[in-house]
Amino acid sequence: RTLAVTLRGGESGEAALVPGAPDKSAIYRAVRRQGDLQMPPKDNDKLNDDEIDLLRRWIAAGADWPNDLTVATLAPLGKDLLRVKTSAGLSRDWEERPYASTDVWAWRPLQKAAPPEAATGASTHPIDRFLAAELQKKQIVPAGPAASSELLRRVAWDLTGLPPAAEDLARYGSDLTPANYAAYVDQLLGSRAYAERAAQHWLDVVRYADTGGFSNDYERPQAWRYRDYVINSFAEDKPYNRFIIEQIAGDEFSPDDPESLIAVGFLRMGPWEHTAMSSAAITRQMFLDDVTNSVGVTFLGQGMSCCRCHDHKFDPLPTRDYYALQAVFAGTQFADRRAPFAKDTAPQPDQRELDFLKRQRGNDSLTPLQGNIGDALKRVIKKRNEYLDRAEKRYLPLAMSVENRALEQTQILTGGRLESPAGVVGTGALSAMTDLGQTPPPKFPKENAGLRLALAQWIASDTNTLTARVIVNRVWQQHFGVGLVVTPNNFGKMGKRPTHPELLDWLALRFMEDGWSIKKLHRLVLASAAYQRSTKHPQAAKLRELDPSNTLLAYFSPRRLTAEELRDGMLAVSGELSHATGGPGVFPEYNPEVALQPRHIMGGIAPAWSPSRTRAERHRRAIYAFHARTLPDPLLEVFNRPASDASCERREESNIPTQVFELLNGQFTRDRALALAASVAAKHEDDPARIRSAYQRVLGRVPSETEQRQCAEHLAAMQKLHETKPPTPRSLPDKVEREMIAEQSGELFRWEERLDWQDFEPDLQPWQVEARVRALAEVCLVLLNSNEFSYVY
């Protein structure tokens, strides 16, 4: 960024720039992609020949580098350029640089634009009026409305993550009037399933997990209480501005409320570890860096980590702001705080589960138990018991929370390095917002207590230009697959600009006027014609040319079910889904290759994955499943469930061979197909009725004549197969062999970990039903693999 540094070079000691000598300049060789250093690193971003030649000629001519005064003279500000006043950059160059007004759009005040007038006969809904203006510019006519059955299924999946109930399809499926549709939306918003689905979106963003991650992936016994807090908040439609305050500063805002103590568990959601081998100062700084970036990304759509080492390359975020924001958390320390359960909500572990945990202690066959190897085994068992100690704390009335202690001094760290302090900073927030957005800065108290509350109130203020825009964009994405801003975690220059900026601002203002109500926002969006459009458009070829990404929403873009929706949906249609809510995470059944693999915990191996004993426990919704960072659910992982190390702004969709294998051959899918077949067979005696029932359960409709015939033929062929090849009963393994290398001697030692299946209730197994039911399960498996089930249209 400066001539002196460029001439000196970086850590390699080689000058990045040699004036007059392009071939001796590392920067020129890098852009030509010669040698190990190739910049930009991605092939798609590489400079073209003209750009490379321009750089060559500039270096050959002496690489003239203007001083600050020359820059100011040569770059006069026009109507599209502006300078931004911030707390202060690390260099004068950075402070004086101009910004394109379009690059800092999100920092500017919300614009009060009225929806355009609706055309004759067009939808008068405000959202549709904004969208219609853009469609008309390209002379695109939107698609017609979706069929009633399609719309019912679409809104059920979007709001609850589950298929519509059979009685709702029967009641509304053929004739969904506007009044019935509004009533159905209200019904879904009032369900617990809605709160669970909405919470899953939030937990993606905040990186929820039940373990700490890294090499010491111990359980966080009370993390589940934060998950339940989020679900409960969406269920009661807690105003979003209060939701913000509770998560950043609930202990300061309402210290006597157990839910507020639980809410600030948000600050501890990131992966973190501290061991005897790590420096307390370093791990403390890891937490401070994590929480600073997390608050920025989650609530403000501004990633802060770039500013840890230098003033932001593209946005008006100086390093000073980063550390001023971090100073707000300088006195925040981890604390497991007493938080009594609300009346009649305390989780009740049954005695068999407690006995199971106790049986796990020292549950190993020790050979040979002597010398260095004996000592190593004892350490392994000690680690194992420490792991189980945490598991037994799941039911204690504690919150994974924080508290204020002595305020630490916050320094700007050169290059983000703890060993290079460069000056003390006080508390602050995003200073550019005062200049660009006319947002008053936070009013921080002089004392430690209340710093986080002041920040939270500033973020949750009606005058904050980012907060409302960010959350309405996240809700919009839930319904349309992509947000009005395609990068929900990045409202800066390197993020995408809004496709409909006037609509985004109108929604943000309306959201605040409606009391920051998420449910009212859902109702508003779902009432639009844009949401209710068909996925089919009469001018598909024209649209592929004029709007290939469907940015203008001329039709409704289909989407594949997310990993949790696929899992929960299969359980729902098979009749196995348990609707129990809340409490510590349950343990689904994993395939043995994953469940029994060794999961190393600093100096030891965690106990093997042990599925919950009853079907009802294992078949609860995925949001209630125990989420270990280093042992993800293989079913969910293959369908793009994100890891919990970084905030997930939007789920990825991929089509890879392992997904096919999982759906066709995976044990989970086959178990659901068998359960569905057994349920259908128990209610209907003849095959045609069984096939029709399976169709209604999985796809919400009856089969066509062709589909009925094809299924009957497949059923007959599968029955012949299953009659000639009866299944062989499988037994569960009772032990697994482990091995490690002793740290002190380097010797390899082994031991057997015994597996405890006492009181385990397995799912329905193929050898427990007749060949006719197994054959029907093959038909059900085809339906569960259909696009019609796996996609929302």
Side-chain angles (χ1 to χ4, degrees):
R1 290 177 297 152
T2 67
L3 178 60
V5 171
T6 309
L7 293 174
R8 184 175 69 242
E11 294 179 0
S12 69
E14 180 184 6
L17 178 65
V18 180
D23 292 332
K24 295 181 180 179
S25 300
I27 190 172
Y28 180 66
R29 297 199 303 273
V31 300
R32 292 189 64 191
R33 312 183 78 75
Q34 297 173 339
D36 294 335
L37 181 62
Q38 298 185 355
M39 297 298 289
K42 295 182 179 179
D43 286 342
N44 288 340
D45 299 332
K46 65 183 180 182
L47 274 60
N48 60 40
D49 291 342
D50 290 340
E51 291 167 332
I52 293 173
D53 184 61
L54 183 63
L55 178 63
R56 181 193 62 78
R57 289 189 286 115
W58 173 68
I59 297 174
D64 183 45
W65 195 296
N67 58 32
D68 293 346
L69 180 61
T70 305
V71 170
T73 303
L74 294 177
L77 300 181
K79 64 178 181 178
D80 295 326
L81 290 175
L82 66 159
R83 289 199 175 92
V84 180
K85 184 179 179 181
T86 67
S87 57
L90 297 180
S91 73
R92 178 72 183 275
D93 287 347
W94 187 89
E95 289 182 2
E96 293 296 326
R97 72 179 185 180
Y99 295 85
S101 58
T102 51
D103 291 340
V104 290
W105 65 269
W107 300 75
R108 309 300 291 273
L110 292 162
Q111 302 300 305
K112 297 181 179 180
E117 291 295 322
T120 303
S123 169
T124 59
H125 192 288
I127 289 176
D128 296 320
R129 287 156 61 186
F130 278 110
L131 296 175
E134 298 301 318
L135 288 168
Q136 290 167 6
K137 288 179 182 177
K138 292 198 173 184
Q139 298 182 322
I140 296 175
V141 177
S148 295
S149 57
E150 282 184 341
L151 186 57
L152 275 176
R153 189 173 184 272
R154 180 187 303 172
V155 74
W157 279 113
D158 280 359
L159 284 182
T160 70
L162 294 172
E167 55 268 26
D168 291 325
L169 283 170
R171 186 185 308 139
Y172 304 124
S174 59
D175 183 22
L176 190 61
T177 65
N180 284 343
Y181 176 67
Y184 185 56
V185 168
D186 281 344
Q187 173 189 321
L188 296 176
L189 288 172
S191 68
R192 188 69 177 180
Y194 155 73
E196 292 161 344
R197 181 62 185 149
Q200 186 62 68
H201 290 295
W202 187 257
L203 297 182
D204 276 3
V205 175
V206 303
R207 307 163 297 161
Y208 176 84
D210 290 289
T211 62
F214 299 123
S215 59
N216 243 19
D217 198 29
Y218 276 120
E219 180 172 345
R220 293 172 166 175
Q222 277 77 41
W224 65 269
R225 296 194 72 182
Y226 173 80
R227 175 249 289 152
D228 282 1
Y229 157 80
V230 173
I231 295 173
N232 292 335
S233 295
F234 282 109
E236 66 188 57
D237 198 21
K238 181 175 292 178
Y240 182 69
N241 52 358
R242 175 162 181 144
F243 188 54
I244 294 169
I245 290 171
E246 288 178 347
Q247 291 179 85
I248 296 175
D251 58 320
E252 297 178 342
F253 176 69
S254 184
D256 296 326
D257 180 6
E259 288 296 293
S260 293
L261 300 182
I262 295 166
V264 289
F266 157 78
L267 302 175
R268 296 178 58 181
M269 276 298 114
W272 185 86
E273 71 174 353
H274 177 73
T275 71
M277 300 173 64
S278 56
S279 161
I282 291 176
T283 53
R284 169 67 178 164
Q285 188 60 41
M286 286 172 58
F287 161 70
L288 291 172
D289 288 332
D290 180 86
V291 76
T292 303
N293 186 63
S294 181
V295 167
V297 164
T298 302
F299 301 110
L300 301 172
Q302 294 290 332
M304 302 293 295
S305 59
C306 287
C307 312
R308 182 169 65 94
C309 302
H310 53 74
D311 297 327
H312 203 286
K313 297 287 188 183
F314 307 105
D315 299 324
L317 288 168
T319 296
R320 183 172 295 276
D321 278 7
Y322 176 86
Y323 287 102
L325 183 60
Q326 191 171 108
V328 175
F329 302 95
T332 304
Q333 299 284 348
F334 292 1
D336 292 338
R337 302 182 64 172
R338 179 167 175 76
F341 297 110
K343 185 178 180 181
D344 301 326
T345 63
Q348 300 296 325
D350 61 42
Q351 191 58 44
R352 289 176 297 179
E353 181 173 353
L354 295 177
D355 291 342
F356 171 76
L357 289 172
K358 289 177 181 177
R359 288 196 299 270
Q360 295 297 303
R361 294 184 175 277
N363 190 8
D364 304 286
S365 174
L366 307 180
T367 62
L369 187 55
Q370 58 186 352
N372 290 331
I373 292 180
D375 292 339
L377 264 175
K378 289 174 184 176
R379 282 195 293 273
V380 167
I381 295 173
K382 181 175 181 291
K383 278 286 184 181
R384 176 195 183 93
N385 289 340
E386 288 175 0
Y387 191 93
L388 295 168
D389 283 342
R390 296 187 181 225
E392 291 181 349
K393 294 179 181 177
R394 297 170 192 158
Y395 302 95
L396 298 180
L398 298 173
M400 187 182 82
S401 189
V402 298
E403 64 184 8
N404 292 322
R405 298 181 195 164
L407 193 60
E408 301 171 356
Q409 199 176 63
T410 301
Q411 298 250 7
I412 292 178
L413 303 179
T414 303
R417 296 188 297 270
L418 197 61
E419 63 272 18
S420 303
V424 176
V425 294
T427 53
L430 308 189
S431 57
M433 197 174 289
T434 303
D435 183 30
L436 285 170
Q438 302 166 21
T439 304
K443 297 179 180 179
F444 290 111
K446 294 182 179 179
E447 303 297 326
N448 182 20
L451 293 179
R452 283 182 284 112
L453 180 57
L455 174 66
Q457 290 171 333
W458 177 80
I459 292 174
S461 166
D462 288 359
T463 63
N464 191 299
T465 68
L466 293 167
T467 309
R469 281 174 170 141
V470 169
I471 188 59
V472 299
N473 189 63
R474 294 194 193 280
V475 173
W476 183 274
Q477 177 177 275
Q478 292 173 29
H479 296 305
F480 291 99
V482 294
L484 294 168
V485 179
V486 181
T487 51
N489 280 1
N490 188 351
F491 276 39
K493 177 182 178 180
M494 300 309 289
K496 298 295 184 181
R497 295 171 188 169
T499 55
H500 299 77
E502 296 86 1
L503 173 57
L504 178 65
D505 280 11
W506 184 87
L507 286 170
L509 289 166
R510 174 69 177 267
F511 174 63
M512 291 188 286
E513 291 168 2
D514 282 342
W516 299 74
S517 166
I518 298 290
K519 287 189 178 181
K520 287 183 180 178
L521 181 58
H522 283 303
R523 290 189 185 96
L524 180 65
V525 173
L526 296 178
S528 68
Y531 180 78
Q532 299 177 40
R533 284 180 187 138
S534 171
T535 58
K536 302 176 182 65
H537 195 280
Q539 298 176 309
K542 179 181 178 182
L543 276 181
R544 280 194 294 271
E545 178 183 346
L546 296 179
D547 187 21
S549 299
N550 194 27
T551 300
L552 302 181
L553 301 177
Y555 61 94
F556 186 84
S557 295
R559 70 170 178 88
R560 194 181 68 189
L561 298 179
T562 63
E564 292 89 344
E565 288 175 307
L566 275 171
R567 175 195 178 274
D568 295 350
M570 288 185 195
L571 288 168
V573 300
S574 70
E576 300 172 282
L577 183 65
S578 168
H579 294 280
T581 63
V586 294
F587 295 82
E589 193 169 5
Y590 289 179
N591 65 60
E593 290 81 3
V594 174
L596 300 182
Q597 68 179 354
R599 187 159 64 100
H600 288 268
I601 302 292
M602 188 71 75
I605 292 179
W609 180 268
S610 298
S612 297
R613 293 170 298 96
T614 68
R615 296 181 189 176
E617 290 173 307
R618 298 194 301 277
H619 296 165
R620 293 178 66 186
R621 293 198 70 173
I623 196 170
Y624 295 114
F626 186 91
H627 182 20
R629 277 191 161 97
T630 57
L631 190 66
D633 186 323
L635 171 68
L636 302 184
E637 185 179 34
V638 78
F639 285 102
N640 306 112
R641 182 192 188 176
S644 297
D645 294 340
S647 174
C648 175
E649 60 180 2
R650 179 170 177 253
R651 291 287 183 100
E652 296 290 336
E653 282 189 17
S654 64
N655 288 290
I656 53 177
T658 48
Q659 294 170 350
V660 179
F661 299 146
E662 185 65 50
L663 286 179
L664 273 175
N665 305 325
Q667 195 61 49
F668 179 87
T669 313
R670 287 192 160 271
D671 284 351
R672 305 295 71 80
L674 185 64
L676 173 59
S679 175
V680 167
K683 295 179 180 178
H684 304 279
E685 293 187 359
D686 63 287
D687 291 337
R690 290 175 173 180
I691 292 171
R692 286 194 299 272
S693 179
Y695 258 82
Q696 288 173 320
R697 294 266 290 267
V698 177
L699 304 180
R701 65 174 178 84
V702 296
S704 66
E705 291 184 7
T706 300
E707 290 168 332
Q708 182 84 31
R709 175 178 51 77
Q710 290 173 333
C711 286
E713 292 171 353
H714 188 54
L715 178 62
M718 290 299 99
Q719 183 166 359
K720 291 181 180 179
L721 175 67
H722 283 283
E723 285 175 344
T724 57
K725 293 186 176 181
T728 303
R730 291 181 287 111
S731 59
L732 297 170
D734 59 0
K735 62 185 177 182
V736 60
E737 186 176 87
R738 303 295 193 198
E739 64 178 34
M740 286 187 69
I741 294 177
E743 292 181 3
Q744 295 182 349
S745 67
E747 296 176 81
L748 180 69
F749 65 98
R750 297 183 176 88
W751 75 98
E752 290 180 349
E753 178 184 348
R754 294 196 299 274
L755 305 176
D756 194 333
W757 296 101
Q758 187 171 326
D759 301 321
F760 182 76
E761 177 191 10
D763 289 345
L764 182 67
Q765 301 298 315
W767 54 87
Q768 295 173 324
V769 298
E770 61 183 6
R772 193 67 173 173
V773 175
R774 297 198 300 274
L776 182 59
E778 301 287 356
V779 175
C780 294
L781 183 66
V782 172
L783 298 182
L784 293 175
N785 273 267
S786 65
N787 277 354
E788 192 174 345
F789 176 72
S790 300
Y791 280 79
V792 177
Y793 292 95

